[in-house]
Amino acid sequence: MLNQALNHLEEWLIATLIAAATGLIFIAVMHRYGAGESIVLSRWATAHGMTWLATLSMTVFTFLSELDLSWAQELCIYMFIWMAKFGAAYGVRTGIHVGVDLLVNRLPEHSRKHVILFALLCGALFTGMIAAFGASFVKEMFHTGQQSNDLEAPMWFVYLAIPLGSGLMCFRFLQVSWFYYWTGELPHHDETHVEGVEADVSPALHPQPAGAETKAAARKVSPLGVILILAPILIFAMCLAEKFGVVLLPHWMRAATVFALLIALMLTGIPVSIALGLTVMTFLFTLTTVPIEAVSMKLFTGIEGFEIMAIPFFILAGNFLTHGGVARRMINFATSLIGHWHGGLGLAGIVACAMFALVCGSSVATVAAIGAIVLPEMVRHGYPMHFGAGIITVAGSLGILMLPSIPKIVYAVSTNTSIGALFVAGLLPGIMLTTMLCIVTWWLARKRDYPRMPKASWGETVRTFRESIWGLMLVVIIIGGIYSGLFTATEAAAMAAVYSFVIAVFVYKAIGLKDVPRVLLRAANTSAMLLYIVTNAVLFSFVLSNENLPATLADWIAAQNLGWVGFLLVVNVLLLLAGNFMEPNSIILIMAPILAPAAKKLGIDLVHFGIVMDVNMEVGLCHPPVGLNLYVASMIARMRITELAVAVLPWLITMLGFLVIVTYWPDLTLWLPRVLGMH
């Protein structure tokens, strides 16, 4: 009962915090513009003899001008920090934290169990250490009596999120370890699950990890399993030997040790966030003299930037849009425009993906929302399933290239680049990729004589446009608000979240008020996982900067005389390789702080570089072994991953050609931000 009460408290807390923060930012924005607009309205009403309206407007103006909401932004930041810390613990319980489990899944059952237990206990060790450091830091803040700037709240209470959240996270790791030791079962969060779509998870579609066929094979001790556990331990031992003077490591060896330990930890399946944190802690304890208090401070300041709050807001907006009936209306509109062409339904799926990507910001959500509707319709109209699944898998990747995009925000935070400029910079490349995918689809459909739909009347087109206009208005809110200066990117994200809630619940009525807590909890869970990675990535960047590694690497790359052409080629190869093993946000958080200084030194614009990284992430989402788009589409299409990996080839090759164009044609990405004065 105690555990169940703790579970409910955890869920209630993070769902309430994300809802309260979203509502507070919305109110603050409305307050800011309400005061100005009410006085304008009052003057207009006076000039037109409408005394009652002028009096009412002045009353509203007086009320709003006397209402002080200067503390709202600071309170929202603190609420998100608490949500991130407690949401990370909830993420351990639900299994949402992402890790590189490619090698672990290939182990026999006996060895796999040892490696997973090692990873879980490493998570408990790290979070337990952070809880202890955080408690010490809170004690120190309590004695100093420091207060926050706007709220004048005691900072010890604000920082209490660190020891409490980390302590709960440590408890969750130990709880999961104990349960796994006795039952062999782990909490499983399936990112490829599509609500409302019955998924076929039979072994035929998703084969079990190697080594699980027989009891004899299951009990076999694998040398790979031993290596996975011993590698990080040996690297840690080498760091300790350096600390106590047993060995003396040159500077380049110390730098190599950081990356070797990070890779070794990630290969054990440890969540990327924990691997980053443990690497930093090892480095700080053994190879530097940086005071450990800096760690506690960075754990807090790493995510207290107002820009980072755009991540949970856009995730929340995307969750409402995915379940809110927006996708179906966009598909109907796209079908009315081009459904009568060769491959019309496939073309409509691509255009619908592009429209949904304009307002969503997630590739997985785009594939889920559009694919769940388009693929059954394509099969019903006589298209082969592999044709439709190949289209949607790749077209769904537009979700992180078009306007709002979580990877773009992560990149902007990592490299101190303008979020608004990155949003706009993806628009023309997104249109070009949409066009290229449509041309390939049209050509294949015409060559194979796939069916065409009857041409829709103008009345039908107008009707479907009217139905989809509520969703498309989000583009105006996001870009119009940022470009006009009405909102910051974070405020635009909050407005988008509130607007998405309104159209999903009250306009389209696709979900009821009783479903809202579930949507809030899912968004908070995903947000907390990403923010926890960001927190530890900030720590990792702090270590790299302290060792001057990015600048050293930039100087070394410049000395190789690669030029910007050769450098971008190397970067593309490196990112495409990384995309085989890691999810996009983790790659950006680790790679961007290292590669961006070198790019800047070679004269490469960081906005252009961000879009190049974004397109590389798109490619990684569309091929095995960790391409999430592939897994989502396979669930919807009931296809084996191997079959789908072949089906996507025409569009995947098109995307690789597009990657070359984006890489070596900077003006494609930079022209629009410059014209709009955003860069």
Side-chain angles (χ1 to χ4, degrees), residues 14 17-18 21-22 76-89 91 96-98 126 162 166 169 271-274 276-277 298-316 406-407 409-411 413-414 419 490 520 522-540 583 585-586 589:
I14 63 175
L17 285 173
I18 193 171
T22 307
C76 282
I77 291 172
Y78 294 156
M79 283 195 291
F80 268 127
I81 289 171
W82 276 73
M83 185 206 73
K85 300 307 178 187
F86 282 87
I96 195 174
H97 288 278
V98 294
F126 172 71
I162 299 173
S166 299
M169 200 171 179
V272 171
S273 54
I274 302 297
L276 285 164
K298 283 289 178 182
L299 283 170
F300 190 86
T301 59
I303 56 171
E304 70 172 346
F306 190 60
E307 298 83 5
I308 296 178
M309 290 171 57
I311 294 175
F313 288 143
F314 275 124
I315 289 173
L316 181 57
I406 305 304
I409 298 171
V410 170
Y411 173 85
V413 171
S414 302
I419 296 177
T490 302
L520 290 171
R522 184 179 177 89
N525 197 10
T526 306
S527 302
M529 179 270 293
L530 282 174
L531 291 175
Y532 200 70
I533 295 176
V534 171
T535 303
N536 290 298
V538 167
L539 277 178
F540 188 69
E583 59 90 34
N585 296 299
S586 302
L589 283 165

Side-chain angles (χ1 to χ4, degrees), residues 46-187:
T46 302
H48 288 77
M50 303 174 69
T51 310
W52 66 272
L53 183 57
T55 304
L56 179 62
S57 300
M58 281 304 299
T59 303
V60 172
F61 170 75
T62 303
F63 171 75
L64 292 176
S65 59
E66 291 176 354
L67 184 64
D68 180 21
L69 290 181
S70 59
W71 46 267
Q73 180 172 313
E74 186 176 83
L75 178 58
C76 282
I77 291 172
Y78 294 156
M79 283 195 291
F80 268 127
I81 289 171
W82 276 73
M83 185 206 73
K85 300 307 178 187
F86 282 87
Y90 177 69
V92 175
R93 177 160 69 91
T94 56
I96 195 174
H97 288 278
V98 294
V100 182
D101 55 6
L102 188 67
L103 293 181
V104 177
N105 286 340
R106 294 182 177 275
L107 294 172
E109 185 179 334
H110 189 60
S111 292
R112 187 166 67 250
K113 188 170 186 177
H114 289 160
V115 174
I116 291 174
L117 283 172
F118 173 77
L120 290 170
L121 293 175
C122 281
L125 172 66
F126 172 71
T127 50
M129 291 170 64
I130 295 302
F133 295 144
S136 175
F137 189 68
V138 167
K139 183 179 178 182
E140 183 181 331
M141 297 298 291
F142 179 78
H143 289 306
T144 60
Q146 186 176 337
Q147 292 185 324
S148 64
N149 295 328
D150 297 323
L151 285 170
E152 297 184 355
M155 288 304 295
W156 70 266
F157 181 78
V158 175
Y159 283 111
L160 198 59
I162 299 173
L164 290 181
S166 299
L168 181 59
M169 200 171 179
C170 178
F171 169 72
R172 292 301 188 193
F173 271 118
L174 292 173
Q175 188 181 43
V176 171
S177 302
W178 180 260
F179 187 75
Y180 178 65
Y181 177 78
W182 289 108
T183 67
E185 296 180 9
L186 286 168

Side-chain angles (χ1 to χ4, degrees), residues 187-205:
H188 180 59
H189 172 84
D190 188 0
E191 290 186 68
T192 65
H193 173 65
V194 183
E195 292 194 23
V197 178
E198 185 181 348
D200 186 346
V201 292
S202 66
L205 284 182

Side-chain angles (χ1 to χ4, degrees), residues 148-325:
S148 64
N149 295 328
D150 297 323
L151 285 170
E152 297 184 355
M155 288 304 295
W156 70 266
F157 181 78
V158 175
Y159 283 111
L160 198 59
I162 299 173
L164 290 181
S166 299
L168 181 59
M169 200 171 179
C170 178
F171 169 72
R172 292 301 188 193
F173 271 118
L174 292 173
Q175 188 181 43
V176 171
S177 302
W178 180 260
F179 187 75
Y180 178 65
Y181 177 78
W182 289 108
T183 67
E185 296 180 9
L186 286 168
H188 180 59
H189 172 84
D190 188 0
E191 290 186 68
T192 65
H193 173 65
V194 183
E195 292 194 23
V197 178
E198 185 181 348
D200 186 346
V201 292
S202 66
L205 284 182
H206 305 280
Q208 297 300 307
E213 295 85 0
T214 65
K215 289 185 178 180
R219 298 296 301 175
K220 183 180 178 183
V221 176
S222 167
L224 177 59
V226 176
I227 293 171
L228 288 177
I229 294 175
L230 285 182
I233 294 174
L234 290 175
I235 296 172
F236 177 71
M238 187 171 68
C239 293
L240 284 178
E242 158 74 15
K243 180 178 177 64
F244 293 110
V246 178
V247 298
L248 185 63
L249 299 177
H251 187 270
W252 70 268
M253 189 79 171
R254 288 153 59 94
T257 302
V258 174
F259 293 103
L261 181 59
L262 176 62
I263 293 169
L265 287 170
M266 286 198 300
L267 289 178
T268 65
I270 292 176
V272 171
S273 54
I274 302 297
L276 285 164
L278 275 175
T279 301
V280 170
M281 298 296 283
T282 300
F283 197 76
L284 291 179
F285 271 121
T286 61
L287 299 179
T288 71
T289 56
V290 176
I292 204 64
E293 289 79 10
V295 175
S296 298
M297 181 62 76
K298 283 289 178 182
L299 283 170
F300 190 86
T301 59
I303 56 171
E304 70 172 346
F306 190 60
E307 298 83 5
I308 296 178
M309 290 171 57
I311 294 175
F313 288 143
F314 275 124
I315 289 173
L316 181 57
N319 272 266
F320 278 121
L321 290 173
T322 303
H323 305 297

Side-chain angles (χ1 to χ4, degrees), residues 599-618:
K600 195 172 183 179
K601 197 175 185 70
L602 290 169
I604 299 169
D605 190 283
L606 290 188
V607 172
H608 170 228
F609 191 64
I611 299 300
V612 171
M613 290 195 75
D614 217 31
V615 177
N616 274 284
M617 299 305 99
E618 284 189 295

Side-chain angles (χ1 to χ4, degrees), residues 395-620:
S397 63
L398 290 164
I400 63 171
L401 180 60
M402 302 294 266
L403 296 180
S405 163
I406 305 304
K408 284 180 185 174
I409 298 171
V410 170
Y411 173 85
V413 171
S414 302
T415 60
N416 197 28
T417 310
S418 165
I419 296 177
L422 281 166
F423 280 6
V424 174
L427 191 56
L428 287 183
I431 293 171
M432 173 177 277
L433 179 56
T434 302
T435 304
M436 291 173 68
L437 294 176
C438 283
I439 291 171
V440 171
T441 302
W442 175 84
W443 183 78
L444 288 174
R446 185 182 181 192
K447 180 182 177 182
R448 299 170 185 175
D449 196 27
Y450 288 152
R452 301 164 67 176
M453 299 180 68
K455 186 173 182 178
S457 65
W458 279 107
E460 180 73 7
T461 302
V462 170
R463 182 186 65 79
T464 55
F465 174 72
R466 278 205 314 265
E467 290 178 352
S468 64
I469 192 66
W470 288 102
L472 294 174
M473 278 297 293
L474 262 177
V475 180
V476 178
I477 292 175
I478 295 169
I479 290 305
I482 294 174
Y483 170 63
S484 65
L486 287 175
F487 314 132
T488 64
T490 302
E491 289 172 342
M495 300 298 282
V498 173
Y499 181 82
S500 301
F501 159 74
V502 171
I503 62 173
V505 176
F506 299 109
V507 178
Y508 291 152
K509 298 179 181 178
I511 59 176
L513 285 173
K514 68 180 186 301
D515 300 313
V516 171
R518 175 173 54 86
V519 177
L520 290 171
L521 185 61
R522 184 179 177 89
N525 197 10
T526 306
S527 302
M529 179 270 293
L530 282 174
L531 291 175
Y532 200 70
I533 295 176
V534 171
T535 303
N536 290 298
V538 167
L539 277 178
F540 188 69
S541 298
F542 169 69
V543 166
L544 295 181
S545 300
N546 189 66
E547 291 295 302
N548 204 32
L549 290 180
T552 303
L553 183 63
D555 291 337
W556 180 82
I557 290 174
Q560 305 308 304
N561 295 320
L562 291 172
W564 72 276
V565 174
F567 171 74
L568 287 176
L569 176 62
V570 172
V571 166
N572 280 338
V573 172
L574 181 64
L575 293 175
L576 289 173
L577 289 173
N580 284 297
F581 308 103
M582 297 170 65
E583 59 90 34
N585 296 299
S586 302
I587 296 173
I588 292 171
L589 283 165
I590 293 171
M591 298 286 194
I594 300 169
L595 297 174
K600 195 172 183 179
K601 197 175 185 70
L602 290 169
I604 299 169
D605 190 283
L606 290 188
V607 172
H608 170 228
F609 191 64
I611 299 300
V612 171
M613 290 195 75
D614 217 31
V615 177
N616 274 284
M617 299 305 99
E618 284 189 295
V619 176

